[in-house]
Amino acid sequence: MTAAGDPFAPGRLGPVRLPNRIIKSATSEGRSPEGLVTDSLIDFHLDYIRGGVGMTTVAYCCVTAEGASAPGQILMSERAAPGLERLTAAVHADGGLISAQLGHAGPVASKKITGVTATAPSRMVNPTSLEYCRAISVSEIARVIEGFRDAAVLAADCGFDAVELHFGHNYLPSSFLSPLFNRRTDSYGGGIDARSRLVREIAAEVRTAVGDSIAVTAKISMDDGVPGGITLAESIRTAQLLDADANLDALELTQGSSVMHQMFLFRGDVPVRDFAAVMPQPFKAGVYAFGRKMLGEYPYYDLYMLESARQFVPVMNNTRLILLGGITEYEHMVTGLNEGFDFVAMGRALLREPDLVNSIRADRTKQTLCTHCNRCMYTVYGRTHCVLDPESAFGPIPSAEATDLGVPTAARRAAAVGSTAKVVNRA
Ligand SMILES: Cc1cc2nc3c(=O)[nH]c(=O)nc-3n(C[C@H](O)[C@H](O)[C@H](O)COP(=O)(O)O)c2cc1C
Ligand code: SF4
């Protein structure tokens, strides 16, 4: 095997060097109830570092208060800084690297959480939350870009090695890329080059502000998985534009939407019972009846994003690529790296076994214990964990008003309309 295909070889990511090629992808932790770092959040990330990953990722840190998608998310502000410093120092003391995922939820945000009407590229009703989203103005777009910039500077000041800009899952930047959400007639709407303007401006502003002090990556959707959404061809064009700008050190390629057909992102079992369990009455029945249809059904298979992701490899000149999706074993990592990806990222397999990387290092034939049951999806209502791991079962999962997955209101919708998600355009 060449050094390039070795998951345990160190790898350069812009200005930083990872001890190996394996990254823990962002999985909402549910361990910052006041929007502040807790010991539990630090322990969560130390588990992955001690378990062998090269870099861990703090999930969804909001760049502005109205960009929150769930209660308790960390808002990148001076208030959060002391805890963030403690978190990065703890990870560094154990020899690992740490990235902060920075996001603005846009149409995935909820007024119940933020107190203000959610914004989207164009007016719409979120089919999951059933909430009205107003069109964001140009001056508000400028403030969002500044929010990403200030959040990245704060992350660098707090000791993070990298930031991951969330350009996926139909959050605000991703919804600008999607023709399903973006029907603007100004310079942020139209063809894919115009729809790519926002993500390019965010990346440029962040890079100018942080220089080479930290790595800057972005998680970007290759396709929304719904008719009329971002297509692979358009996404490749966006990636080429970002690559030519050379403001990003790497792109992590993802798929799917947090607004509709959420299972396209995950694949595998549809956890309808867990979905219903976190629902208030009288919506449980609606979830039992229509949950599968709402979330969509997509079979799981290993390396399920590779077929689309490999099409980005030949067109990248400046930007490294991170492969995600159904990577659970040594052979999957080697396959990805040999195909031209520089890093691999893992979510559920590590949630199931935080020490999986060390286990694979000791035994290259090690198989994952994750069954892709996807029941962890609904543990984000409490403290995110694998339900099959008794060591990480933290007691009953509390009901919640809203989450990253928009579940309670999704059931309301199921009860109301009983059909598959569809964006309702009002402009
Ligand atoms: C419980 C859970 C929470 C997640 N939260 C986030 C998140 O906050 N931000 C994000 O970009 N992706 C999130 N994801 C998606 C993962 O980062 C990853 O993209 C997805 O699970 C596919 O990778 P895998 O096949 O290795 O699990 C979450 C996934 C799970 C299972
Ligand atoms: S609950 Fe555990 S086994 Fe099921 S998908 Fe999540 S991590 Fe894997």
Side-chain angles (χ1 to χ4, degrees), residues 65-98:
E66 68 274 12
S69 64
Q73 287 172 334
I74 294 173
L75 172 65
M76 294 301 279
S77 61
E78 286 304 323
R79 177 175 172 264
L84 294 171
E85 285 171 6
R86 210 157 58 83
L87 170 59
T88 59
V91 166
H92 291 156
D94 271 355
L97 275 71
I98 181 162

Side-chain angles (χ1 to χ4, degrees), residues 242-305:
L242 288 166
D243 181 63
D245 293 342
N247 288 315
L248 297 174
D249 295 305
L251 282 174
E252 181 175 293
L253 302 172
T254 184
Q255 287 179 324
S257 170
S258 292
V259 175
M260 58 189 96
H261 291 185
Q262 286 85 343
M263 295 314 300
F264 186 67
L265 197 163
F266 297 101
R267 315 295 174 97
D269 300 346
V270 188
V272 174
R273 286 181 62 182
D274 298 81
F275 187 176
V278 296
M279 297 301 303
Q281 291 289 7
F283 304 115
K284 289 184 192 296
V287 169
Y288 277 117
F290 303 112
R292 280 180 187 283
K293 213 170 174 191
M294 292 167 59
L295 296 173
E297 291 187 84
Y298 306 91
Y300 172 87
Y301 53 95
D302 294 336
L303 291 164
Y304 61 88
M305 293 193 200

Side-chain angles (χ1 to χ4, degrees), residues 25-28 59 101 166 169 219 266 304 324-326 347-348 376:
S25 74
T27 53
S28 323
Q101 182 178 63
H166 202 334
H169 306 166
K219 185 169 185 174
F266 297 101
Y304 61 88
L324 175 73
R348 287 163 292 181
C376 48

Side-chain angles (χ1 to χ4, degrees), residues 24 27 35 49 56 118 127 136 138 161-162 187 191 204 217 224 238-239 245 318 322 377 385 387 391 415:
K24 163 70 176 59
T27 53
I49 295 299
T56 185
I136 192 168
V138 171
D161 303 285
S187 57
T217 71
D224 290 342
T238 302
D245 293 342
N318 303 305
I322 304 168
M377 279 172 66
H385 65 277
V387 302
E391 292 299 314

Side-chain angles (χ1 to χ4, degrees), residues 300-338:
Y300 172 87
Y301 53 95
D302 294 336
L303 291 164
Y304 61 88
M305 293 193 200
L306 177 59
E307 190 181 340
S308 296
R310 64 161 59 100
Q311 299 186 48
F312 290 71
V313 173
V315 300
M316 292 291 106
N317 296 311
N318 303 305
T319 317
R320 299 191 154 214
L321 289 174
I322 304 168
L323 181 67
L324 175 73
I327 297 164
T328 64
E329 298 171 10
Y330 178 73
E331 287 307 325
H332 302 161
M333 299 173 183
V334 172
T335 299
L337 297 176
N338 280 336

